[in-house]
């Protein structure tokens, strides 16, 4: 009878030790990668701004050339007449709750800028030359910042054309063309320049803010800028109630269909036994 062979314990491989510690180099590599990416973004952004500054210099000047401003002293009576129309428009919409329409000519817009200190930032920088062909034609003299840390400012002295629009309860100027005599303005600059939010600073104004919130349409009609305004409709729960009823109805139909399926399944199950 053969003797049983004893299993050798010397040749049995030992269980490999679990390595619980991670290499510190993995974290260092990750940090280096993040730092390099951040540095690349900074360098790329800096040189992009330098390139943009170089392009802006091609159609701007370092000298301010103010645009005309209406004579507020000589046109005092006209400014008073304009103020009367503006007040009537505001009262009709805000106080009486009526639909309002205000027509403003190029001269009206320039008188408003010259005659009211609220628009002091627009004096010598924004002058409506005409309203024609469905567009506002405006002369601008706008300061632009130069390259970072250069301390240089440039001035865009140009004629711009565009149309008014409403965006987020604010009247904005959608610029379509920029013309600088003897210069070419890149399309990329126009894309960043428009729309001009010249009324943004007045959204919180105690008088201009509330009336601007009621304006729902701004368009060009002939030689006038037309603003249409009305108080917003009061919010109601009618829409919410109708939606809830529809939801309840759908749930009821789904539940009835499910019960019908269960009933049929039980009925046929009993009959098959």
């Amino acid at each position: 009878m053969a003797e049983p062979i004893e299993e050798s314990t010397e040749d049995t491989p030992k269980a490999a030790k679990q390595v619980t510690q991670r290499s510190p180099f993995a974290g260092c590599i990750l940090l280096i990668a993040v730092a390099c990416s951040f540095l690349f973004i900074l360098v790329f952004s800096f040189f992009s701004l330098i390139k943009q500054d170089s392009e802006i210099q091609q159609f701007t000047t370092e000298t301010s050339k103010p645009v005309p401003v209406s004579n507020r002293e000589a046109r005092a009576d006209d400014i008073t007449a304009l103020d009367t129309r503006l007040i009537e428009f505001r009262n009709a919409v805000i106080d009486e709750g009526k639909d309002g329409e205000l027509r403003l000519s190029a001269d009206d817009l320039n008188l408003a800028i010259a005659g009211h200190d609220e628009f002091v930032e627009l004096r010598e920088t924004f002058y409506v030359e005409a309203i024609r062909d469905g567009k506002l034609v405006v002369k601008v003299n706008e300061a632009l910042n130069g390259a970072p840390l250069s301390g240089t400012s440039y001035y865009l002295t140009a004629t711009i054309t565009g149309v008014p629009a409403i965006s987020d309860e604010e009247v904005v100027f959608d610029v379509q063309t920029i013309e600088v005599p003897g210069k070419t303005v890149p399309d990329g600059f126009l894309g960043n320049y428009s729309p001009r939010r010249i009324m943004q600073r007045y959204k919180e104004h105690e008088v201009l803010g509330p009336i601007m919130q009621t304006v729902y349409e701004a368009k060009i009609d002939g030689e006038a800028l037309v603003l249409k305004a009305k108080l917003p409709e009061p919010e109601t729960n009618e829409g919410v109630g109708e939606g809830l009823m529809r939801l309840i109805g759908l749930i009821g139909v789904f539940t009835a269909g499910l019960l019908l399926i269960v009933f049929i399944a039980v009925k046929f199950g009993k009959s098959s036994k």
Side-chain angles (χ1 to χ4, degrees), residues 201-225:
R201 61 173 64 92
Y202 308 112
K203 292 186 70 172
E204 303 300 328
H205 190 276
E206 60 181 359
V207 176
L208 297 175
I211 188 62
M212 190 160 55
Q213 292 174 8
T214 66
V215 176
Y216 66 90
E217 183 179 3
K219 65 178 183 178
I220 301 298
D221 182 18
E223 296 182 352
L225 165 63

mmCIF file with all atom_site columns, all heavy atoms in Angstrom, residues 201-225:
data_model
loop_
_atom_site.group_PDB
_atom_site.id
_atom_site.type_symbol
_atom_site.label_atom_id
_atom_site.label_alt_id
_atom_site.label_comp_id
_atom_site.label_asym_id
_atom_site.label_entity_id
_atom_site.label_seq_id
_atom_site.pdbx_PDB_ins_code
_atom_site.Cartn_x
_atom_site.Cartn_y
_atom_site.Cartn_z
_atom_site.occupancy
_atom_site.B_iso_or_equiv
_atom_site.pdbx_formal_charge
_atom_site.auth_seq_id
_atom_site.auth_comp_id
_atom_site.auth_asym_id
_atom_site.auth_atom_id
_atom_site.pdbx_PDB_model_num
ATOM 1   N N   . ARG A 1 201 ? -27.062 101.705 -16.773 1.00 0.00 ? 201 ARG A N   1
ATOM 2   C CA  . ARG A 1 201 ? -26.836 102.421 -15.515 1.00 0.00 ? 201 ARG A CA  1
ATOM 3   C C   . ARG A 1 201 ? -28.110 103.043 -14.951 1.00 0.00 ? 201 ARG A C   1
ATOM 4   O O   . ARG A 1 201 ? -28.138 103.486 -13.802 1.00 0.00 ? 201 ARG A O   1
ATOM 5   C CB  . ARG A 1 201 ? -25.774 103.520 -15.726 1.00 0.00 ? 201 ARG A CB  1
ATOM 6   C CG  . ARG A 1 201 ? -26.166 104.554 -16.746 1.00 0.00 ? 201 ARG A CG  1
ATOM 7   C CD  . ARG A 1 201 ? -25.155 105.708 -16.777 1.00 0.00 ? 201 ARG A CD  1
ATOM 8   N NE  . ARG A 1 201 ? -23.859 105.257 -17.194 1.00 0.00 ? 201 ARG A NE  1
ATOM 9   C CZ  . ARG A 1 201 ? -23.426 105.271 -18.467 1.00 0.00 ? 201 ARG A CZ  1
ATOM 10  N NH1 . ARG A 1 201 ? -24.226 105.703 -19.419 1.00 0.00 ? 201 ARG A NH1 1
ATOM 11  N NH2 . ARG A 1 201 ? -22.222 104.864 -18.773 1.00 0.00 ? 201 ARG A NH2 1
ATOM 12  N N   . TYR A 1 202 ? -29.171 103.085 -15.770 1.00 0.00 ? 202 TYR A N   1
ATOM 13  C CA  . TYR A 1 202 ? -30.410 103.715 -15.323 1.00 0.00 ? 202 TYR A CA  1
ATOM 14  C C   . TYR A 1 202 ? -31.475 102.709 -14.889 1.00 0.00 ? 202 TYR A C   1
ATOM 15  O O   . TYR A 1 202 ? -32.602 103.104 -14.575 1.00 0.00 ? 202 TYR A O   1
ATOM 16  C CB  . TYR A 1 202 ? -30.975 104.599 -16.436 1.00 0.00 ? 202 TYR A CB  1
ATOM 17  C CG  . TYR A 1 202 ? -29.964 105.587 -16.982 1.00 0.00 ? 202 TYR A CG  1
ATOM 18  C CD1 . TYR A 1 202 ? -29.476 105.468 -18.275 1.00 0.00 ? 202 TYR A CD1 1
ATOM 19  C CD2 . TYR A 1 202 ? -29.490 106.627 -16.190 1.00 0.00 ? 202 TYR A CD2 1
ATOM 20  C CE1 . TYR A 1 202 ? -28.539 106.360 -18.773 1.00 0.00 ? 202 TYR A CE1 1
ATOM 21  C CE2 . TYR A 1 202 ? -28.551 107.528 -16.674 1.00 0.00 ? 202 TYR A CE2 1
ATOM 22  C CZ  . TYR A 1 202 ? -28.078 107.386 -17.972 1.00 0.00 ? 202 TYR A CZ  1
ATOM 23  O OH  . TYR A 1 202 ? -27.144 108.270 -18.449 1.00 0.00 ? 202 TYR A OH  1
ATOM 24  N N   . LYS A 1 203 ? -31.142 101.432 -14.850 1.00 0.00 ? 203 LYS A N   1
ATOM 25  C CA  . LYS A 1 203 ? -32.130 100.423 -14.466 1.00 0.00 ? 203 LYS A CA  1
ATOM 26  C C   . LYS A 1 203 ? -32.598 100.608 -13.028 1.00 0.00 ? 203 LYS A C   1
ATOM 27  O O   . LYS A 1 203 ? -33.733 100.277 -12.694 1.00 0.00 ? 203 LYS A O   1
ATOM 28  C CB  . LYS A 1 203 ? -31.554 99.019  -14.655 1.00 0.00 ? 203 LYS A CB  1
ATOM 29  C CG  . LYS A 1 203 ? -31.328 98.632  -16.107 1.00 0.00 ? 203 LYS A CG  1
ATOM 30  C CD  . LYS A 1 203 ? -30.891 97.195  -16.260 1.00 0.00 ? 203 LYS A CD  1
ATOM 31  C CE  . LYS A 1 203 ? -32.012 96.241  -15.937 1.00 0.00 ? 203 LYS A CE  1
ATOM 32  N NZ  . LYS A 1 203 ? -31.672 94.838  -16.246 1.00 0.00 ? 203 LYS A NZ  1
ATOM 33  N N   . GLU A 1 204 ? -31.728 101.131 -12.168 1.00 0.00 ? 204 GLU A N   1
ATOM 34  C CA  . GLU A 1 204 ? -32.089 101.351 -10.765 1.00 0.00 ? 204 GLU A CA  1
ATOM 35  C C   . GLU A 1 204 ? -32.466 102.807 -10.490 1.00 0.00 ? 204 GLU A C   1
ATOM 36  O O   . GLU A 1 204 ? -32.680 103.177 -9.333  1.00 0.00 ? 204 GLU A O   1
ATOM 37  C CB  . GLU A 1 204 ? -30.921 100.937 -9.863  1.00 0.00 ? 204 GLU A CB  1
ATOM 38  C CG  . GLU A 1 204 ? -30.465 99.485  -10.041 1.00 0.00 ? 204 GLU A CG  1
ATOM 39  C CD  . GLU A 1 204 ? -31.566 98.488  -9.746  1.00 0.00 ? 204 GLU A CD  1
ATOM 40  O OE1 . GLU A 1 204 ? -32.410 98.794  -8.882  1.00 0.00 ? 204 GLU A OE1 1
ATOM 41  O OE2 . GLU A 1 204 ? -31.598 97.423  -10.386 1.00 0.00 ? 204 GLU A OE2 1
ATOM 42  N N   . HIS A 1 205 ? -32.528 103.625 -11.530 1.00 0.00 ? 205 HIS A N   1
ATOM 43  C CA  . HIS A 1 205 ? -32.894 105.033 -11.352 1.00 0.00 ? 205 HIS A CA  1
ATOM 44  C C   . HIS A 1 205 ? -34.352 105.124 -10.887 1.00 0.00 ? 205 HIS A C   1
ATOM 45  O O   . HIS A 1 205 ? -35.218 104.406 -11.382 1.00 0.00 ? 205 HIS A O   1
ATOM 46  C CB  . HIS A 1 205 ? -32.688 105.781 -12.671 1.00 0.00 ? 205 HIS A CB  1
ATOM 47  C CG  . HIS A 1 205 ? -32.800 107.266 -12.548 1.00 0.00 ? 205 HIS A CG  1
ATOM 48  N ND1 . HIS A 1 205 ? -34.007 107.936 -12.591 1.00 0.00 ? 205 HIS A ND1 1
ATOM 49  C CD2 . HIS A 1 205 ? -31.852 108.222 -12.374 1.00 0.00 ? 205 HIS A CD2 1
ATOM 50  C CE1 . HIS A 1 205 ? -33.797 109.226 -12.465 1.00 0.00 ? 205 HIS A CE1 1
ATOM 51  N NE2 . HIS A 1 205 ? -32.493 109.441 -12.328 1.00 0.00 ? 205 HIS A NE2 1
ATOM 52  N N   . GLU A 1 206 ? -34.625 106.014 -9.958  1.00 0.00 ? 206 GLU A N   1
ATOM 53  C CA  . GLU A 1 206 ? -35.952 106.096 -9.357  1.00 0.00 ? 206 GLU A CA  1
ATOM 54  C C   . GLU A 1 206 ? -37.042 106.495 -10.346 1.00 0.00 ? 206 GLU A C   1
ATOM 55  O O   . GLU A 1 206 ? -38.216 106.140 -10.167 1.00 0.00 ? 206 GLU A O   1
ATOM 56  C CB  . GLU A 1 206 ? -35.934 107.069 -8.175  1.00 0.00 ? 206 GLU A CB  1
ATOM 57  C CG  . GLU A 1 206 ? -35.530 108.490 -8.534  1.00 0.00 ? 206 GLU A CG  1
ATOM 58  C CD  . GLU A 1 206 ? -35.508 109.409 -7.329  1.00 0.00 ? 206 GLU A CD  1
ATOM 59  O OE1 . GLU A 1 206 ? -35.832 108.920 -6.232  1.00 0.00 ? 206 GLU A OE1 1
ATOM 60  O OE2 . GLU A 1 206 ? -35.151 110.600 -7.488  1.00 0.00 ? 206 GLU A OE2 1
ATOM 61  N N   . VAL A 1 207 ? -36.695 107.226 -11.394 1.00 0.00 ? 207 VAL A N   1
ATOM 62  C CA  . VAL A 1 207 ? -37.683 107.645 -12.389 1.00 0.00 ? 207 VAL A CA  1
ATOM 63  C C   . VAL A 1 207 ? -37.570 106.813 -13.663 1.00 0.00 ? 207 VAL A C   1
ATOM 64  O O   . VAL A 1 207 ? -38.567 106.285 -14.178 1.00 0.00 ? 207 VAL A O   1
ATOM 65  C CB  . VAL A 1 207 ? -37.525 109.147 -12.730 1.00 0.00 ? 207 VAL A CB  1
ATOM 66  C CG1 . VAL A 1 207 ? -38.498 109.545 -13.838 1.00 0.00 ? 207 VAL A CG1 1
ATOM 67  C CG2 . VAL A 1 207 ? -37.748 110.006 -11.488 1.00 0.00 ? 207 VAL A CG2 1
ATOM 68  N N   . LEU A 1 208 ? -36.349 106.675 -14.187 1.00 0.00 ? 208 LEU A N   1
ATOM 69  C CA  . LEU A 1 208 ? -36.154 105.988 -15.459 1.00 0.00 ? 208 LEU A CA  1
ATOM 70  C C   . LEU A 1 208 ? -36.312 104.476 -15.330 1.00 0.00 ? 208 LEU A C   1
ATOM 71  O O   . LEU A 1 208 ? -36.792 103.816 -16.256 1.00 0.00 ? 208 LEU A O   1
ATOM 72  C CB  . LEU A 1 208 ? -34.762 106.308 -16.012 1.00 0.00 ? 208 LEU A CB  1
ATOM 73  C CG  . LEU A 1 208 ? -34.500 107.783 -16.346 1.00 0.00 ? 208 LEU A CG  1
ATOM 74  C CD1 . LEU A 1 208 ? -33.055 107.986 -16.760 1.00 0.00 ? 208 LEU A CD1 1
ATOM 75  C CD2 . LEU A 1 208 ? -35.437 108.264 -17.439 1.00 0.00 ? 208 LEU A CD2 1
ATOM 76  N N   . GLY A 1 209 ? -35.909 103.917 -14.181 1.00 0.00 ? 209 GLY A N   1
ATOM 77  C CA  . GLY A 1 209 ? -35.972 102.476 -13.999 1.00 0.00 ? 209 GLY A CA  1
ATOM 78  C C   . GLY A 1 209 ? -37.371 101.904 -14.142 1.00 0.00 ? 209 GLY A C   1
ATOM 79  O O   . GLY A 1 209 ? -37.603 101.006 -14.957 1.00 0.00 ? 209 GLY A O   1
ATOM 80  N N   . PRO A 1 210 ? -38.354 102.408 -13.382 1.00 0.00 ? 210 PRO A N   1
ATOM 81  C CA  . PRO A 1 210 ? -39.703 101.852 -13.472 1.00 0.00 ? 210 PRO A CA  1
ATOM 82  C C   . PRO A 1 210 ? -40.331 101.976 -14.862 1.00 0.00 ? 210 PRO A C   1
ATOM 83  O O   . PRO A 1 210 ? -40.999 101.049 -15.330 1.00 0.00 ? 210 PRO A O   1
ATOM 84  C CB  . PRO A 1 210 ? -40.485 102.671 -12.435 1.00 0.00 ? 210 PRO A CB  1
ATOM 85  C CG  . PRO A 1 210 ? -39.454 103.119 -11.456 1.00 0.00 ? 210 PRO A CG  1
ATOM 86  C CD  . PRO A 1 210 ? -38.223 103.363 -12.263 1.00 0.00 ? 210 PRO A CD  1
ATOM 87  N N   . ILE A 1 211 ? -40.137 103.120 -15.538 1.00 0.00 ? 211 ILE A N   1
ATOM 88  C CA  . ILE A 1 211 ? -40.759 103.274 -16.857 1.00 0.00 ? 211 ILE A CA  1
ATOM 89  C C   . ILE A 1 211 ? -40.074 102.378 -17.884 1.00 0.00 ? 211 ILE A C   1
ATOM 90  O O   . ILE A 1 211 ? -40.726 101.841 -18.793 1.00 0.00 ? 211 ILE A O   1
ATOM 91  C CB  . ILE A 1 211 ? -40.744 104.753 -17.303 1.00 0.00 ? 211 ILE A CB  1
ATOM 92  C CG1 . ILE A 1 211 ? -41.561 104.936 -18.578 1.00 0.00 ? 211 ILE A CG1 1
ATOM 93  C CG2 . ILE A 1 211 ? -39.329 105.249 -17.504 1.00 0.00 ? 211 ILE A CG2 1
ATOM 94  C CD1 . ILE A 1 211 ? -43.018 104.597 -18.429 1.00 0.00 ? 211 ILE A CD1 1
ATOM 95  N N   . MET A 1 212 ? -38.751 102.173 -17.752 1.00 0.00 ? 212 MET A N   1
ATOM 96  C CA  . MET A 1 212 ? -38.047 101.313 -18.693 1.00 0.00 ? 212 MET A CA  1
ATOM 97  C C   . MET A 1 212 ? -38.496 99.856  -18.535 1.00 0.00 ? 212 MET A C   1
ATOM 98  O O   . MET A 1 212 ? -38.518 99.102  -19.507 1.00 0.00 ? 212 MET A O   1
ATOM 99  C CB  . MET A 1 212 ? -36.529 101.434 -18.504 1.00 0.00 ? 212 MET A CB  1
ATOM 100 C CG  . MET A 1 212 ? -35.725 100.760 -19.601 1.00 0.00 ? 212 MET A CG  1
ATOM 101 S SD  . MET A 1 212 ? -34.013 101.346 -19.722 1.00 0.00 ? 212 MET A SD  1
ATOM 102 C CE  . MET A 1 212 ? -33.413 101.077 -18.063 1.00 0.00 ? 212 MET A CE  1
ATOM 103 N N   . GLN A 1 213 ? -38.885 99.464  -17.346 1.00 0.00 ? 213 GLN A N   1
ATOM 104 C CA  . GLN A 1 213 ? -39.364 98.108  -17.123 1.00 0.00 ? 213 GLN A CA  1
ATOM 105 C C   . GLN A 1 213 ? -40.695 97.836  -17.810 1.00 0.00 ? 213 GLN A C   1
ATOM 106 O O   . GLN A 1 213 ? -41.048 96.680  -18.044 1.00 0.00 ? 213 GLN A O   1
ATOM 107 C CB  . GLN A 1 213 ? -39.493 97.848  -15.614 1.00 0.00 ? 213 GLN A CB  1
ATOM 108 C CG  . GLN A 1 213 ? -38.176 97.805  -14.876 1.00 0.00 ? 213 GLN A CG  1
ATOM 109 C CD  . GLN A 1 213 ? -38.359 97.686  -13.373 1.00 0.00 ? 213 GLN A CD  1
ATOM 110 O OE1 . GLN A 1 213 ? -39.478 97.486  -12.893 1.00 0.00 ? 213 GLN A OE1 1
ATOM 111 N NE2 . GLN A 1 213 ? -37.273 97.798  -12.622 1.00 0.00 ? 213 GLN A NE2 1
ATOM 112 N N   . THR A 1 214 ? -41.437 98.896  -18.119 1.00 0.00 ? 214 THR A N   1
ATOM 113 C CA  . THR A 1 214 ? -42.730 98.715  -18.769 1.00 0.00 ? 214 THR A CA  1
ATOM 114 C C   . THR A 1 214 ? -42.635 98.713  -20.293 1.00 0.00 ? 214 THR A C   1
ATOM 115 O O   . THR A 1 214 ? -43.609 98.384  -20.967 1.00 0.00 ? 214 THR A O   1
ATOM 116 C CB  . THR A 1 214 ? -43.713 99.823  -18.349 1.00 0.00 ? 214 THR A CB  1
ATOM 117 O OG1 . THR A 1 214 ? -43.256 101.099 -18.860 1.00 0.00 ? 214 THR A OG1 1
ATOM 118 C CG2 . THR A 1 214 ? -43.822 99.909  -16.839 1.00 0.00 ? 214 THR A CG2 1
ATOM 119 N N   . VAL A 1 215 ? -41.483 99.098  -20.846 1.00 0.00 ? 215 VAL A N   1
ATOM 120 C CA  . VAL A 1 215 ? -41.324 99.160  -22.304 1.00 0.00 ? 215 VAL A CA  1
ATOM 121 C C   . VAL A 1 215 ? -41.191 97.741  -22.852 1.00 0.00 ? 215 VAL A C   1
ATOM 122 O O   . VAL A 1 215 ? -40.294 97.000  -22.457 1.00 0.00 ? 215 VAL A O   1
ATOM 123 C CB  . VAL A 1 215 ? -40.097 100.006 -22.686 1.00 0.00 ? 215 VAL A CB  1
ATOM 124 C CG1 . VAL A 1 215 ? -39.897 99.987  -24.201 1.00 0.00 ? 215 VAL A CG1 1
ATOM 125 C CG2 . VAL A 1 215 ? -40.258 101.439 -22.201 1.00 0.00 ? 215 VAL A CG2 1
ATOM 126 N N   . TYR A 1 216 ? -42.086 97.367  -23.732 1.00 0.00 ? 216 TYR A N   1
ATOM 127 C CA  . TYR A 1 216 ? -42.053 96.024  -24.301 1.00 0.00 ? 216 TYR A CA  1
ATOM 128 C C   . TYR A 1 216 ? -41.685 96.007  -25.774 1.00 0.00 ? 216 TYR A C   1
ATOM 129 O O   . TYR A 1 216 ? -41.442 94.948  -26.350 1.00 0.00 ? 216 TYR A O   1
ATOM 130 C CB  . TYR A 1 216 ? -43.409 95.330  -24.109 1.00 0.00 ? 216 TYR A CB  1
ATOM 131 C CG  . TYR A 1 216 ? -44.555 95.957  -24.875 1.00 0.00 ? 216 TYR A CG  1
ATOM 132 C CD1 . TYR A 1 216 ? -44.864 95.550  -26.164 1.00 0.00 ? 216 TYR A CD1 1
ATOM 133 C CD2 . TYR A 1 216 ? -45.336 96.955  -24.298 1.00 0.00 ? 216 TYR A CD2 1
ATOM 134 C CE1 . TYR A 1 216 ? -45.920 96.126  -26.875 1.00 0.00 ? 216 TYR A CE1 1
ATOM 135 C CE2 . TYR A 1 216 ? -46.389 97.526  -24.989 1.00 0.00 ? 216 TYR A CE2 1
ATOM 136 C CZ  . TYR A 1 216 ? -46.686 97.112  -26.278 1.00 0.00 ? 216 TYR A CZ  1
ATOM 137 O OH  . TYR A 1 216 ? -47.721 97.686  -26.971 1.00 0.00 ? 216 TYR A OH  1
ATOM 138 N N   . GLU A 1 217 ? -41.600 97.194  -26.392 1.00 0.00 ? 217 GLU A N   1
ATOM 139 C CA  . GLU A 1 217 ? -41.223 97.247  -27.803 1.00 0.00 ? 217 GLU A CA  1
ATOM 140 C C   . GLU A 1 217 ? -40.491 98.553  -28.091 1.00 0.00 ? 217 GLU A C   1
ATOM 141 O O   . GLU A 1 217 ? -40.893 99.621  -27.633 1.00 0.00 ? 217 GLU A O   1
ATOM 142 C CB  . GLU A 1 217 ? -42.450 97.130  -28.706 1.00 0.00 ? 217 GLU A CB  1
ATOM 143 C CG  . GLU A 1 217 ? -42.107 97.102  -30.202 1.00 0.00 ? 217 GLU A CG  1
ATOM 144 C CD  . GLU A 1 217 ? -43.331 96.953  -31.083 1.00 0.00 ? 217 GLU A CD  1
ATOM 145 O OE1 . GLU A 1 217 ? -44.461 96.935  -30.534 1.00 0.00 ? 217 GLU A OE1 1
ATOM 146 O OE2 . GLU A 1 217 ? -43.176 96.880  -32.312 1.00 0.00 ? 217 GLU A OE2 1
ATOM 147 N N   . ALA A 1 218 ? -39.399 98.451  -28.839 1.00 0.00 ? 218 ALA A N   1
ATOM 148 C CA  . ALA A 1 218 ? -38.649 99.622  -29.291 1.00 0.00 ? 218 ALA A CA  1
ATOM 149 C C   . ALA A 1 218 ? -38.318 99.400  -30.760 1.00 0.00 ? 218 ALA A C   1
ATOM 150 O O   . ALA A 1 218 ? -37.695 98.406  -31.112 1.00 0.00 ? 218 ALA A O   1
ATOM 151 C CB  . ALA A 1 218 ? -37.374 99.806  -28.469 1.00 0.00 ? 218 ALA A CB  1
ATOM 152 N N   . LYS A 1 219 ? -38.740 100.335 -31.605 1.00 0.00 ? 219 LYS A N   1
ATOM 153 C CA  . LYS A 1 219 ? -38.543 100.154 -33.037 1.00 0.00 ? 219 LYS A CA  1
ATOM 154 C C   . LYS A 1 219 ? -38.368 101.502 -33.718 1.00 0.00 ? 219 LYS A C   1
ATOM 155 O O   . LYS A 1 219 ? -38.619 102.562 -33.133 1.00 0.00 ? 219 LYS A O   1
ATOM 156 C CB  . LYS A 1 219 ? -39.733 99.411  -33.650 1.00 0.00 ? 219 LYS A CB  1
ATOM 157 C CG  . LYS A 1 219 ? -41.044 100.187 -33.589 1.00 0.00 ? 219 LYS A CG  1
ATOM 158 C CD  . LYS A 1 219 ? -42.178 99.417  -34.248 1.00 0.00 ? 219 LYS A CD  1
ATOM 159 C CE  . LYS A 1 219 ? -43.479 100.225 -34.243 1.00 0.00 ? 219 LYS A CE  1
ATOM 160 N NZ  . LYS A 1 219 ? -44.574 99.503  -34.918 1.00 0.00 ? 219 LYS A NZ  1
ATOM 161 N N   . ILE A 1 220 ? -37.952 101.451 -34.982 1.00 0.00 ? 220 ILE A N   1
ATOM 162 C CA  . ILE A 1 220 ? -37.821 102.645 -35.795 1.00 0.00 ? 220 ILE A CA  1
ATOM 163 C C   . ILE A 1 220 ? -39.028 102.725 -36.717 1.00 0.00 ? 220 ILE A C   1
ATOM 164 O O   . ILE A 1 220 ? -39.363 101.752 -37.403 1.00 0.00 ? 220 ILE A O   1
ATOM 165 C CB  . ILE A 1 220 ? -36.522 102.621 -36.628 1.00 0.00 ? 220 ILE A CB  1
ATOM 166 C CG1 . ILE A 1 220 ? -35.308 102.502 -35.704 1.00 0.00 ? 220 ILE A CG1 1
ATOM 167 C CG2 . ILE A 1 220 ? -36.420 103.861 -37.492 1.00 0.00 ? 220 ILE A CG2 1
ATOM 168 C CD1 . ILE A 1 220 ? -35.138 103.652 -34.748 1.00 0.00 ? 220 ILE A CD1 1
ATOM 169 N N   . ASP A 1 221 ? -39.671 103.875 -36.732 1.00 0.00 ? 221 ASP A N   1
ATOM 170 C CA  . ASP A 1 221 ? -40.813 104.103 -37.611 1.00 0.00 ? 221 ASP A CA  1
ATOM 171 C C   . ASP A 1 221 ? -40.584 105.439 -38.318 1.00 0.00 ? 221 ASP A C   1
ATOM 172 O O   . ASP A 1 221 ? -40.721 106.500 -37.708 1.00 0.00 ? 221 ASP A O   1
ATOM 173 C CB  . ASP A 1 221 ? -42.115 104.126 -36.810 1.00 0.00 ? 221 ASP A CB  1
ATOM 174 C CG  . ASP A 1 221 ? -43.333 104.317 -37.706 1.00 0.00 ? 221 ASP A CG  1
ATOM 175 O OD1 . ASP A 1 221 ? -43.219 104.101 -38.928 1.00 0.00 ? 221 ASP A OD1 1
ATOM 176 O OD2 . ASP A 1 221 ? -44.396 104.698 -37.179 1.00 0.00 ? 221 ASP A OD2 1
ATOM 177 N N   . GLY A 1 222 ? -40.222 105.369 -39.596 1.00 0.00 ? 222 GLY A N   1
ATOM 178 C CA  . GLY A 1 222 ? -39.912 106.594 -40.325 1.00 0.00 ? 222 GLY A CA  1
ATOM 179 C C   . GLY A 1 222 ? -38.674 107.258 -39.770 1.00 0.00 ? 222 GLY A C   1
ATOM 180 O O   . GLY A 1 222 ? -37.588 106.673 -39.750 1.00 0.00 ? 222 GLY A O   1
ATOM 181 N N   . GLU A 1 223 ? -38.839 108.489 -39.272 1.00 0.00 ? 223 GLU A N   1
ATOM 182 C CA  . GLU A 1 223 ? -37.714 109.233 -38.702 1.00 0.00 ? 223 GLU A CA  1
ATOM 183 C C   . GLU A 1 223 ? -37.843 109.356 -37.185 1.00 0.00 ? 223 GLU A C   1
ATOM 184 O O   . GLU A 1 223 ? -37.382 110.324 -36.579 1.00 0.00 ? 223 GLU A O   1
ATOM 185 C CB  . GLU A 1 223 ? -37.635 110.628 -39.331 1.00 0.00 ? 223 GLU A CB  1
ATOM 186 C CG  . GLU A 1 223 ? -37.337 110.598 -40.827 1.00 0.00 ? 223 GLU A CG  1
ATOM 187 C CD  . GLU A 1 223 ? -37.209 111.991 -41.416 1.00 0.00 ? 223 GLU A CD  1
ATOM 188 O OE1 . GLU A 1 223 ? -37.505 112.972 -40.694 1.00 0.00 ? 223 GLU A OE1 1
ATOM 189 O OE2 . GLU A 1 223 ? -36.803 112.105 -42.587 1.00 0.00 ? 223 GLU A OE2 1
ATOM 190 N N   . ALA A 1 224 ? -38.449 108.359 -36.580 1.00 0.00 ? 224 ALA A N   1
ATOM 191 C CA  . ALA A 1 224 ? -38.672 108.414 -35.126 1.00 0.00 ? 224 ALA A CA  1
ATOM 192 C C   . ALA A 1 224 ? -38.356 107.070 -34.476 1.00 0.00 ? 224 ALA A C   1
ATOM 193 O O   . ALA A 1 224 ? -38.527 106.008 -35.075 1.00 0.00 ? 224 ALA A O   1
ATOM 194 C CB  . ALA A 1 224 ? -40.105 108.823 -34.817 1.00 0.00 ? 224 ALA A CB  1
ATOM 195 N N   . LEU A 1 225 ? -37.882 107.166 -33.235 1.00 0.00 ? 225 LEU A N   1
ATOM 196 C CA  . LEU A 1 225 ? -37.743 105.998 -32.376 1.00 0.00 ? 225 LEU A CA  1
ATOM 197 C C   . LEU A 1 225 ? -39.047 105.870 -31.601 1.00 0.00 ? 225 LEU A C   1
ATOM 198 O O   . LEU A 1 225 ? -39.474 106.811 -30.912 1.00 0.00 ? 225 LEU A O   1
ATOM 199 C CB  . LEU A 1 225 ? -36.572 106.191 -31.410 1.00 0.00 ? 225 LEU A CB  1
ATOM 200 C CG  . LEU A 1 225 ? -36.503 105.238 -30.208 1.00 0.00 ? 225 LEU A CG  1
ATOM 201 C CD1 . LEU A 1 225 ? -36.314 103.801 -30.667 1.00 0.00 ? 225 LEU A CD1 1
ATOM 202 C CD2 . LEU A 1 225 ? -35.385 105.658 -29.260 1.00 0.00 ? 225 LEU A CD2 1
#
